[in-house]
Structure formats: structure tokens, C-alpha cells
Amino acid sequence: MNPADLPRDAVATTAEGLLDAVRAVARGPLAEVAEAIDRQGHYPREVLQQLGALGAMSAHLDAPAGRGDYGLALRAMAEVSRVCGATGFMVWCHAVCGLYMQASGNPALGGDALMAHATGRTLGGTAMSNPMKSYAQIESLLLKAVPVDGGYRVSGSLPWVSNLGPDHACGALAGVVDERGDVVREVMFLLRCDAPGVELRDCPSFAGMEGTGTWALRLKDHFIGADEIMADPAKPFIARIRGAFVMLQCGMALGVTQGAIDTMWAVEDQLGHVNQFLDERPAELQAELDALEARVMKLAQTPFDPSPAFFIEVLDARAHGAELSLRAAQSALLHQGARGYLMSSEVQRRVRESHFVAIVTPAIKHLRKEIARLSAEVLPA
Amino acid sequence: MNTDAPYQQYICDACGYIYDEAEGDPDGGLAAGTRYADIPDDWACPLCGVTKADFRLYRAPSREELMARSGAAPTAVVRRGGPAGVVIVGAGRAGWSMAQALRERDAALPITLVTRCAGDVYDKPLLSVAVARRLDDGALVRESGAAAAARLGVRLMARTEAVRICPDTRSLRTTRGTLRYDRLVLAHGAQACLPPALPAELCWRVNHLDAYRRLRAALGDVPRDVLIVGAGLIGCELANDLALGGHRITLLDQASHPLGRWPQQQAADPLLAAWQDLNIRFVGGAQVQQLERAGGALRLTTACGQRFAADQVIAAAGLATPPRLAQGAGLAWHNGIAVDAATLRTSDPHIHALGDCIAIDGQPSRYIEPIARQAQAIAAAVCGTAPAPYQPRAAVVRVKTTSCPLTLH
């Protein structure tokens, strides 16, 4: 079955129907190219567009672009990540770009543009790693916007922005500078990769997940106007969407962990007699994963809860997901033994994917630092 | 340029790549020895692609400097494996009393103490006295956290936030990693309440040493106009001690007289009499409506339209247990963490609690005296020694007004 051939309504009438269709894509065409994505830099455009056509990358968006169901979006992302963490990550990139477009309320980014994005006809990502770290007081803003007639001219460089290509777009943020060069506020905008003043530059090789369409972005006097602007000023907008942004990443962590547990069970019949002596067994890890998934699903019911207590919960669930994926992948390697040490082994890929879940923004250390910052009692300066 | 100048290093702010002038970037077209100033503007960081503009001068610190900066002292090897032992959350009087009571009964029990603060040992009731005497914090700290930990054989995780209890795996998630426990003891205390009309960034609450340090610095060494909102026990002691410290105090409360929990003849009347010669003005029936900056000072407005100006505002509006840990773990809750009176056990058999964070039959008891007895009860249960059931008693309260100390029942 090729889900892309089915009419969208036929597979997407129920949440379970959508998840079945996503599983079919993940275990079929995606599984075939997972190794090439990880090692050879194959960018799975067709798979992403199939997932988009199913509605798997837009389930969180409000109708008509999606179903307003964050839990479903997370579960779909987890099904993809269970087979290929790199593609799960790109589903997240695309999903949050859709979130920015819809939440912006900008008519130029809604309507047809949003529908094209929601259905995967156009693809996009997010250049928000640097701004998110900037808000958490971890680094400073790398893009600067100078006000000009009708908009801004944006310059600067961003390292390592994913799910990009020459015909892609991404949500980005720049510091608006005054005449003295001081940042006075921020502006968030849709950055189209084919626009004048935008250059995609190659990145060095990564340890894995090479096919994620990851580029360095260089902007030189790139003009953004009313049609591109998502939020100006951007801070209240970021405060509104930050919970949903981080929460959606949990789908990646849940899926990569599940994939690692799957590979432990795969050798249980032959190796269970020795694997029983290992520290973390698949049933224990599964119980912890199920509890975490239940926690995330509960958070997914109120993705826009503005309270700091809720955001801390989201940050900690995301951190738990990263920690659990590391433990599960490590354990999967120990369970598989020598066969898991083959370069071609799926377990090797799981280990690299789990490392990625742990270090991609927000990394475990960022999450903990932000939890500590938000937990501190606010007193006069 | 002086070509003999030593080569320097420049670091990429985006990815941490270090450009060393001595080595250059031959793959990027920069020969060894290329000075930063001579790098063309379109050169790109070989790792992440940002340009020269995102680099800055860098001097790599020595290993010794890094050790000193992180506060890392040579430490004992942290034990892995074996029994997880007891994890205590909080390093106030309750947390340290707990550690001590456990250690007295079991020399080998692994004990880990997790705390948001530095873990220094001090007496919280003396915080307001310290304000009066303008003591610096060194005079308050009886023993550093590190010294107390060494003395009791406790692993102290200072400046660490306890984030979530996972009862099913018996683990505590923290901002410095996840800890397993056999028994968990919550001793994290209560937090000062903030009336909704008072913005947190304009208003002090003095419930721990860090806050005291900062308030002390903000007051400086000259007399100030200080507004205290709340005339309960803490508010009255602060008013008394700040006035003794030379500050001009306005004390507000919704009630018509201070110490409203006690009969007026027994508490408020003698208190106000004792304050006659101090610079304290009590204003009753005052409901705070707004607090804002006005010029260099703060302006507080009440519901009935009274206005007060002050250099500093302190809220003393009572305490409440922060619910995050207990409620995240699904522990029974009734005005605080609900515990069994005799055993101080929560609704989870592996979790106990004591001190300001607990409530017995819905009744919190935020005094010093019961803490030692509570710690003994828990330690006996955890170590399996002779039971030492806790018996709640009505607290006797001393109001430390220096001129006329009051005892309240």
C-alpha cells in the first residue's frame, strides 16, 4: 500500500487511522532509506511529503490545517522516530514551522501558504536554536535586523539549521538594532531559502543523521517585509509557543527510545539467557517509557498553558525523554552484543540518534539550566 | 602591526571553534601565521559557517583556573551501585537534623542531600535579628554546607533543584541528574506567599539566607523607609529588628491590630506599647491594591486609596508549601504535604516529610521546636531502631521584641 495514493480523507478520518497510515510509511518506504539518511546524507523528501499528505506533520495545528491534537502529532512523530530518528527530527522541524505560521496570525502565512505547508507540498524548518538559547541566557543573538522602509534588512550567520533546501523556508528571529547597534527588541519572520540575500552553506560531516537537510545560513541585507513577519515584537510570541515547541520534541525522544527497546526484544529469543544479567532490561525500560508517554500525553492536552510550572514540567519531560533514549540505546547495544557493533547495525544508528536527542537544542544541560532559572524565587534586583 | 607579537586565539561564539593565528585555517585558505586582522570578511568558520564578525579574542584558562572557577574541590569518589540509601531534599534545619538523626543510628547508610541553596548551616529565626544588627552573613553561618556534609558523611548536592519524584522507579529527578532512593525525605520547607497585588520583582520576602544577603545589600548602611506588608509573627519581628537597625518602618495589615492570630490584650497591646520608642507606624485595615515604581522609590496604594512611599517593600504574608514535588508524585495533600502524625510518612510508603512543608490533619506547624523530634521519628522508622513516634504539641511562641519579649500560647 502506498498511503500517498489513498485519498487523504480515507486514512485520516480517525486518529488511529492516521497512526496506522504513518506506521505503514515508516515501516515501508522510510525503513528502506533509513540507513542512507543516516550515513549517506539522503534527504527523504518523498517520505516527508507522504507524511505531510497524511496529515502527520500538521495534526497539532488548528483546523482546517490540522486537528488541534498535540497528542496525535506527538504519537505520529514517535512512530516515525521509532524507525528513523533523523526523519522524526525533520517532522518536528516542519511541525514547529507550521506552528509559527499559524500562531503568527499573518494572513500571508495562513490560508494557502499554511495549507501547502500542512500537507507537505512545501517543506520547512526552524532556525530558532540560537534564539531559544538566547532567551535562556546561554548565548547571544546571531542575526541582526536594521529597520528600513516597509520592513527590515537582516544580516548575520546561523550554524546548523535543519530540514532546509533551496526551495524550503524556516522560522527565524533577529535582534532589531538601533542606530548605535544595540538590540532594542526582536522580530520573528519566515525566511525563504531562495530569497535574495540568503545563502545556504555546507556543514562539515556529522556523526550521524546526515540526511536532515542541515545547512549553515548566511544572510546579507536580506529584506523582510509584512508578508514574512511572524511576530514583532517577538518576545510575547515566543513566550506563548515555547511550551508547544519543546513539548513536540518529546515525540522524537519517545520514538527513538521505543526503537531501541524494539531491538532489545529482537535478540531476546537467542540472547535472553545472557541478557538477563544486564542492568536495564527491555520490560523495565518499556514501563518507564510508558509512564513518560502518559505524562507527555497529559501535558499535550494544554500545550499553551502559560504558567511557569507547566513549562518546567514540559522541560523536565523532554529531559527525561533524552536521558531515557540514551539509556535505552546504550542498553540496546549491550543486548545485541557483537552484532550491534557492526557499522551497519541499526543499533549503531540508535546510539547516534539518542546522542542527537540529548544534544540538540534544548539539550539536557540547557533544559536543566532553564529549569533551575525558572525555579529561582524572583526578588528585587 | 608588530609581526613579532605573540600569536593569539579567537573563538567562534556560535560553535566554540578556536581560530589559532599560529595554525591558520589552511583548508579555508588561511596560511599558518595569518593574523585575525588579516582574515577576509567573507571567510567562514570551518565548523559552523558563521563569519569573522562572530569571533572574539580568546585566552584559554589553565586547568587550575577552571577548577577554581567551578568551585571543584578534590572530592571523594561518588559511590555507584549498592543500596541507594536515603535522599533528603532541603538543607535547612529540617534537612540537616534529618541527616544527623540518620547518621547517629547508622554509620554506613548512604545519605544524599539535595538543596537549591549552598547548604550552609544557619538559624533562620536569626535572619531578622541579623538585619537589626547589620550583621554580614558570615556571622550567621554556623558551618558551611561542605563542612557539615564532611562531618556527617553526607553527599551534598548544593545549588541543585529537585524537579520531580518518580515513585514507580523510586528516583528523584534533579537539575544535576537523577538519583535513586530507598527512602526519600522531603524537608524543603515552605515558601513566602506573595499577595497578588505585589509584583515579585519589587518586593522582598526574607525566608532564606540568599534573600537576606540581597536585602542587606539593598538597604545599605543608611536609614531607609521600609514598608512591611503583613503584621503576623514574621512581619512584626522584622519591623522590630529593622527599626532597631535604624530604619523607618511602616507596618501594614488587613486586620485592625498586629499579631491578629492572638487575643489583642495578650499580643497586640503589649507589642504596640513595647514599640512606643521605636520608629514603627502600624496601619491596620489596609488592603494592598497596587505596588509600583515612582521615581527612585516605590509607591504602594491600598484599596481605600491610602498611599505610602518606601525605599524597600517586604512581604510577610505567611508561608505556603510549594506543591511541585509532592503533587507531581501524587502524594496526598492537605494544606501541605499530608503526613501521618506518629511516623511522618506521606501517602507513599517510601517517602517521609518533616518541617515547614508538612501538614498534620491539614494543620501546618512552622516552628523550630518540633523539627528535631520529627527527625528522630523518621530516622527510627528508616533505620528500624526503637520507634520514636512524633507527638504534635501546641507551640509556645516567643515574640522577640527586644524591649519587651512576649510569650504567646
Side-chain angles (χ1 to χ4, degrees):
Chain A
M1 179 191 83
N2 183 352
D5 297 337
L6 290 171
R8 189 162 182 247
D9 292 345
V11 289
T13 44
T14 66
E16 288 308 320
L18 170 63
L19 289 173
D20 284 342
V22 170
R23 267 181 222 116
V25 172
R27 293 170 189 184
L30 177 57
E32 275 173 34
V33 293
E35 173 81 4
I37 295 169
D38 184 60
R39 306 258 296 142
Q40 284 126 42
H42 169 71
Y43 178 70
R45 172 187 288 271
E46 301 74 23
V47 172
L48 287 170
Q49 293 193 311
Q50 282 177 18
L51 292 169
L54 291 171
M57 301 199 289
S58 55
H60 58 300
L61 299 177
D62 289 337
R67 301 156 176 261
D69 186 342
Y70 271 77
L72 181 58
L74 279 155
R75 289 167 70 199
M77 199 183 301
E79 289 295 348
V80 174
S81 306
R82 183 174 183 171
V83 173
C84 173
T87 306
F89 173 55
M90 288 183 273
V91 169
W92 174 78
C93 294
H94 189 85
V96 288
C97 187
L99 163 65
Y100 307 152
M101 292 169 74
Q102 189 169 62
S104 75
N106 183 343
L109 302 176
D112 291 345
L114 182 62
M115 285 310 290
H117 183 87
T119 54
R121 279 182 281 132
T122 57
L123 293 169
T126 168
M128 294 297 287
S129 169
N130 164 253
M132 287 295 176
K133 283 192 253 183
S134 163
Y135 284 125
Q137 297 169 11
I138 291 165
E139 57 188 44
S140 53
L141 286 175
L142 290 165
L143 296 184
K144 299 284 154 58
V146 176
V148 294
D149 202 20
Y152 301 91
R153 294 236 172 243
V154 184
S155 299
S157 305
L158 288 176
W160 310 332
V161 182
S162 297
N163 203 33
L164 291 189
D167 57 351
H168 289 48
C170 62
L173 181 144
V176 178
V177 293
D178 61 14
E179 310 78 49
R180 293 183 305 175
D182 294 333
V183 173
V184 290
R185 64 173 188 280
E186 293 84 17
V187 58
M188 191 166 163
F189 56 98
L190 187 75
L191 176 62
R192 296 185 174 88
C193 296
D194 59 358
V198 181
E199 186 190 353
L200 299 183
R201 298 171 65 102
D202 279 328
C203 292
S205 299
F206 295 106
M209 302 188 44
E210 282 281 38
T212 51
T214 300
W215 302 80
L217 273 176
R218 188 176 288 185
L219 277 63
K220 184 141 182 27
D221 294 328
H222 166 61
F223 176 78
I224 53 166
D227 285 354
E228 285 79 32
I229 289 179
M230 290 174 154
D232 184 5
K235 258 197 181 132
F237 183 80
I238 303 280
R240 187 150 58 88
I241 62 163
R242 63 181 185 175
F245 172 95
V246 176
M247 181 199 300
L248 281 170
Q249 275 192 349
C250 294
M252 216 170 42
L254 295 172
V256 168
T257 304
Q258 187 63 66
I261 293 173
D262 293 344
T263 61
M264 297 164 82
W265 285 120
V267 292
E268 187 63 15
D269 184 36
Q270 311 140 58
L271 302 177
H273 64 104
V274 280
N275 283 348
Q276 61 176 311
F277 295 100
L278 287 168
D279 290 299
E280 301 212 88
R281 302 281 286 138
E284 295 160 23
L285 288 166
Q286 187 69 53
E288 192 170 336
L289 176 63
D290 291 347
L292 178 61
E293 188 188 352
R295 182 183 178 195
V296 172
M297 286 302 137
K298 186 152 177 285
L299 295 172
Q301 290 169 7
T302 56
F304 297 101
D305 180 334
S307 72
F310 176 79
F311 190 47
I312 288 172
E313 271 285 292
V314 170
L315 294 169
D316 184 58
R318 165 73 177 86
H320 193 167
E323 291 158 18
L324 189 57
S325 71
L326 286 175
R327 281 164 49 210
Q330 167 93 338
S331 202
L333 174 63
L334 297 178
H335 275 70
Q336 289 236 342
R339 72 189 76 175
Y341 196 62
L342 295 174
M343 199 67 222
S344 60
S345 162
E346 188 187 340
V347 173
Q348 283 297 318
R349 184 162 59 79
R350 289 290 163 207
V351 169
R352 292 191 295 270
E353 289 172 356
S354 71
H355 289 173
F356 180 80
V357 173
I359 59 97
V360 69
T361 307
I364 289 173
K365 58 191 178 179
H366 302 144
L367 292 160
R368 291 180 182 172
K369 183 176 181 186
E370 185 68 351
I371 290 169
R373 191 176 73 86
L374 293 171
S375 299
E377 193 176 22
V378 177
L379 289 172
Chain B
M1 163 174 287
N2 176 3
T3 51
D4 295 336
Y7 287 121
Q8 292 188 307
Q9 295 185 327
Y10 291 81
I11 192 165
C12 171
D13 272 334
C15 75
Y17 167 83
I18 291 172
Y19 177 78
D20 188 325
E21 290 179 334
E23 293 171 16
D25 173 25
D27 291 345
L30 303 179
T34 303
R35 298 290 186 176
Y36 175 76
D38 299 328
I39 298 176
D41 286 337
D42 63 351
W43 174 79
C45 169
L47 281 192
C48 75
V50 306
T51 57
K52 181 181 167 180
D54 289 310
F55 277 68
R56 64 185 160 81
L57 183 63
Y58 183 67
R59 187 193 65 81
S62 69
R63 178 73 61 91
E64 288 70 26
E65 285 173 273
L66 291 172
M67 290 277 285
R69 202 185 298 170
S70 69
T75 109
V77 174
V78 174
R79 223 163 62 98
R80 313 261 177 202
V86 178
V87 173
I88 301 168
V89 180
R93 172 74 73 121
W96 283 118
S97 299
M98 192 66 245
Q100 171 131 11
L102 289 167
R103 186 54 79 224
E104 284 166 358
R105 284 173 171 75
D106 187 336
L109 178 72
I111 303 173
T112 305
L113 203 153
V114 174
T115 179
R116 173 186 290 172
C117 65
D120 293 341
V121 182
Y122 69 99
D123 293 311
K124 190 175 287 182
L126 295 182
L127 284 181
S128 83
V129 179
V131 174
R133 299 190 194 148
R134 298 187 182 177
L135 296 178
D136 65 35
D137 49 46
L140 274 170
V141 173
R142 287 198 279 116
E143 188 180 21
S144 75
R151 174 170 57 79
L152 292 171
V154 165
R155 178 184 176 205
L156 174 66
M157 293 175 67
R159 305 274 177 217
T160 301
E161 196 69 42
V163 184
R164 185 181 177 84
I165 301 163
C166 304
D168 44 357
T169 53
R170 267 189 246 160
S171 50
L172 175 72
R173 300 184 50 72
T174 83
T175 48
R176 297 188 200 273
T178 298
L179 302 168
R180 298 258 170 170
Y181 61 80
D182 296 319
R183 300 296 185 105
L184 180 67
V185 182
L186 299 177
H188 56 62
Q191 221 169 23
C193 298
L194 189 64
L198 299 179
E201 67 277 11
L202 298 183
C203 171
W204 297 95
R205 283 130 285 149
V206 192
N207 191 39
H208 51 76
L209 194 54
D210 282 350
Y212 166 73
R213 287 180 177 133
R214 290 167 60 180
L215 172 63
R216 174 85 183 74
L219 286 171
D221 288 320
V222 291
R224 303 281 186 185
D225 290 310
V226 180
L227 200 60
I228 300 174
V229 179
L233 199 53
I234 305 268
C236 287
E237 288 193 354
L238 274 171
N240 183 78
D241 293 338
L242 283 165
L244 287 173
H247 302 290
R248 298 173 294 270
I249 311 302
T250 304
L251 179 61
L252 302 185
D253 203 291
Q254 289 184 36
S256 57
H257 52 87
L259 297 176
R261 273 173 55 196
W262 289 275
Q264 186 176 350
Q265 294 85 347
Q266 206 189 96
D269 293 346
L271 179 73
L272 292 172
W275 280 352
Q276 258 177 1
D277 299 327
L278 287 177
N279 204 335
I280 301 175
R281 174 167 60 130
F282 175 76
V283 180
Q287 184 155 9
V288 178
Q289 190 170 57
Q290 194 182 17
L291 174 64
E292 61 200 321
R293 276 187 225 281
L298 295 163
R299 183 169 60 208
L300 185 144
T301 312
T302 65
C304 54
Q306 284 177 287
R307 282 186 168 183
F308 301 91
D311 298 312
Q312 302 294 340
V313 174
I314 303 172
L319 298 170
T321 303
R324 180 168 84 196
L325 279 184
Q327 293 188 351
L331 301 182
W333 181 272
H334 186 191
N335 284 333
I337 303 169
V339 293
D340 171 65
T343 61
L344 284 306
R345 216 188 71 185
T346 69
S347 56
D348 182 310
H350 297 100
I351 306 177
H352 289 75
L354 78 163
D356 285 5
C357 65
I358 63 166
I360 294 171
D361 298 326
Q363 195 61 53
S365 156
R366 299 197 170 107
Y367 300 105
I368 293 287
E369 185 278 326
I371 289 175
R373 294 187 292 119
Q374 292 172 355
Q376 294 298 334
I378 296 173
V382 168
C383 300
T385 54
Y390 172 68
Q391 286 169 337
R393 301 176 193 145
V396 177
V397 179
R398 297 274 295 170
V399 186
K400 301 188 301 296
T401 63
T402 23
S403 50
C404 171
L406 304 174
T407 303
L408 302 174
H409 296 273

